C-alpha cells in the first residue's frame, strides 16, 4: 500500500512507556508542584533556580530513558512514506534518538536540551550533563546572583530552557514549517498519538483535510470525534501493529 503524505502529531503519551511522565494527572507533579505553575515565564522570573532544578531533573530522566516501539514505528513509517512530517509537542529527544531525522520533525514546544538566553537570541544545545557544558562558553558566565545559574555570554541575560512555556508564543518559523507542509496538499494519513490536544493549533492541524485520521490514545480527547479510527490502547502496542497492518508484517 502506498502512503504518500503523512502527518504525525505526538504528545507526552508517546513517551509515557519510556518512563517519562505525562503532564496532566498526578505523575506530572514535581515536589507537589503543578507543572502549570512551573512552566511559565512568571515562575522563572520569581524563582529561576527552582525552575532550573525541575528542568535539570527532567533532562536527567530523559537522558536515562530509551525510545520505545512507538517512536521506532514512526521511523519505520517515515522510511515508507514519500513525505512525512512529525509535529511533536514533546521537548524530549526520543523521536530523534529513535532515528527520525530533524528535517522530518518540528518540535513545536521546543527542545529541553537547548539553553536559550532570556534577553537575546543566543542559544546552544547540550546533551551533556550540566556540569560538563562546554566550559569555555561559561567562562565568566555565572549569574550575578553569584550562584549556579547560567548567564548569556553575549548579553549577560539569564539562560533559560529552550522550551515554550504557558502564555508564550510559538516560534513563527516552526508554525511556518507546519503550514508549509500542510499547504502542499491533503494528507493520506494523519496520525495523532498520546496528546490531550488541548491547544487550538494542535486540534486545527490534526483536523486539516486527510484521507484517514487515526488517533491512538487510551482516553478520549477533542480529536476523538473527528477520528475515523480511534485506537484506545497504549502507543507502544498499537502503533507498531498499525504500521505493520498497513505495510504487511515486514517488521524490523
Ligand atoms: P498531556 O500530559 O497533556 O497528555 C498526555 C496524553 O497521552 C493523554 O491524553 C493520555 O491519555 C495519553 N497517554 C498516556 N499514556 C499513553 C500511552 N501509553 N499511549 C498513548 N497515549 C497515552 O501531554 P500533551 O498532550 O503532550 O500536553 C500538551 C503540552 O502541554 C505539552 O507538550 C507541553 O508542551 C504542555 N505542557 C508543558 C508543561 C511543561 O512542563 N513545559 C507542563 C504541562 C503541559
Ligand atoms: Zn543573551
Amino acid at each position: 500500500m502506498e502512503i504518500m503524505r503523512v502527518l504525525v502529531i505526538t504528545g507526552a503519551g508517546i513517551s509515557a512507556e519510556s518512563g517519562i511522565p505525562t503532564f496532566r494527572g498526578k505523575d506530572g507533579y514535581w515536589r507537589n508542584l503543578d507543572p502549570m505553575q512551573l512552566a511559565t515565564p512568571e515562575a522563572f522570573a520569581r524563582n529561576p533556580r527552582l525552575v532550573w532544578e525541575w528542568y535539570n531533573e527532567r533532562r536527567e530522566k530523559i537522558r536515562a530513558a530509551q525510545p520505545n516501539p512507538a517512536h521506532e514505528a514512526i521511523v519505520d513509517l517515515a522510511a515508507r512514506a514519500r513525505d512525512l512530517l512529525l509535529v511533536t509537542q514533546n521537548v524530549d529527544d526520543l523521536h530523534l534518538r529513535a532515528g527520525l531525522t530533524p528535517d522530518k520533525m518540528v518540535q513545536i514546544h521546543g527542545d529541553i536540551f537547548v539553553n536559550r538566553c532570556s534577553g537575546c537570541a543566543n542559544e546552544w544545545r547540550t546533551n551533556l550533563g550540566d556540569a560538563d557544558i562546554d566550559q569555555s562558553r561559561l567562562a565568566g558566565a555565572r549569574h550575578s546572583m553569584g550562584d549556579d545559574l547560567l548567564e548569556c555570554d553575549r548579553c549577560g541575560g539569564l539562560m533559560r530552557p529552550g522550551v515554550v512555556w504557558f502564555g508564550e508564543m510559538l516560534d513563527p518559523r516552526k508554525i511556518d514549517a507546519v503550514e508549509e507542509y500542510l499547504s502542499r496538499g491533503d494528507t493520506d494519513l494523519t496520525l495523532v498519538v498520546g496528546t490531550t490536544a488541548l491547544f487550538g493549533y494542535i486540534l486545527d492541524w490534526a483536523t486539516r483535510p486527510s484521507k484517514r485520521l487515526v488517533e491512538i490514545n487510551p482516553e478520549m480527547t477533542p480529536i476523538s470525534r473527528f477520528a475515523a479510527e480511534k485506537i484506545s490502547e497504549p502507543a507502544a502496542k498499537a502503533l507498531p501493529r498499525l504500521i505493520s497492518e498497513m505495510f504487511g508484517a515486514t517488521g524490523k
Side-chain angles (χ1 to χ4, degrees):
M1 164 179 192
E2 193 172 31
I3 291 286
M4 310 286 275
R5 307 193 73 241
V6 183
L7 174 69
V8 184
I9 299 178
T10 63
I14 197 168
S15 295
E17 289 157 278
S18 292
I20 299 173
T22 58
F23 298 108
R24 287 163 243 270
K26 250 191 14 256
D27 286 353
Y29 275 61
W30 178 73
R31 297 186 189 167
N32 277 329
L33 296 169
D34 181 344
M36 309 268 268
Q37 313 295 316
L38 288 165
T40 67
E42 292 75 22
F44 188 69
R46 214 168 31 237
N47 195 343
R49 202 165 297 105
L50 179 73
V51 173
W52 262 122
E53 265 185 74
W54 181 50
Y55 277 93
N56 284 333
E57 278 189 25
R58 288 173 57 202
R59 283 179 172 183
E60 287 313 312
K61 208 172 223 166
I62 292 166
R63 283 192 188 99
Q66 297 304 326
N68 69 53
H71 298 102
E72 284 159 12
I74 292 173
V75 179
D76 218 17
L77 181 59
R80 296 157 188 274
R82 185 173 58 76
D83 192 13
L84 176 141
L85 183 72
L86 168 74
V87 178
T88 183
Q89 298 162 83
N90 297 345
V91 297
D92 68 50
D93 60 356
L94 296 182
H95 285 296
L96 199 64
R97 282 202 272 137
L100 196 68
T101 53
D103 59 302
K104 292 187 189 295
M105 196 186 322
V106 174
Q107 273 188 297
I108 196 72
H109 291 160
D111 176 342
I112 197 169
F113 294 109
V114 166
N115 294 337
R116 188 172 82 220
C117 178
S118 41
C120 75
N122 190 16
E123 63 174 43
W124 66 84
R125 188 170 195 278
T126 175
N127 263 320
L128 305 168
D130 278 341
D132 307 323
I133 292 174
D134 185 1
Q135 288 300 322
S136 64
R137 305 203 67 143
L138 300 184
R142 297 290 169 199
H143 192 246
S144 52
M145 290 151 95
D147 53 40
D148 54 349
L149 292 171
L150 300 184
E151 191 178 83
C152 174
D153 56 358
R154 287 193 203 150
C155 79
L158 193 53
M159 297 305 288
R160 54 165 282 180
V163 301
V164 179
W165 283 329
F166 291 106
E168 293 187 317
M169 313 261 275
L170 299 178
D171 179 343
R173 289 164 304 183
K174 293 185 177 181
I175 297 178
D176 287 350
V178 180
E179 291 295 346
E180 195 276 324
Y181 174 84
L182 290 170
S183 73
R184 296 208 300 271
D186 297 3
T187 69
D188 295 297
L189 171 66
T190 295
L191 190 53
V192 185
V193 186
T195 176
T196 40
L198 290 179
F199 297 106
Y201 45 90
I202 296 298
L203 185 58
D204 173 26
W205 290 331
T207 54
R208 294 289 179 90
S210 173
K211 293 199 178 73
R212 184 179 179 198
L213 173 59
V214 181
E215 180 183 52
I216 298 179
N217 193 318
E219 294 184 7
M220 298 297 280
T221 78
I223 309 281
S224 306
R225 68 191 181 96
F226 298 101
E229 294 150 73
K230 156 87 182 163
I231 307 176
S232 301
E233 288 175 41
K237 184 172 165 220
L239 198 46
R241 191 184 64 224
L242 178 73
I243 307 301
S244 71
E245 278 167 8
M246 275 166 50
F247 298 105
T250 48
K252 284 192 73 164

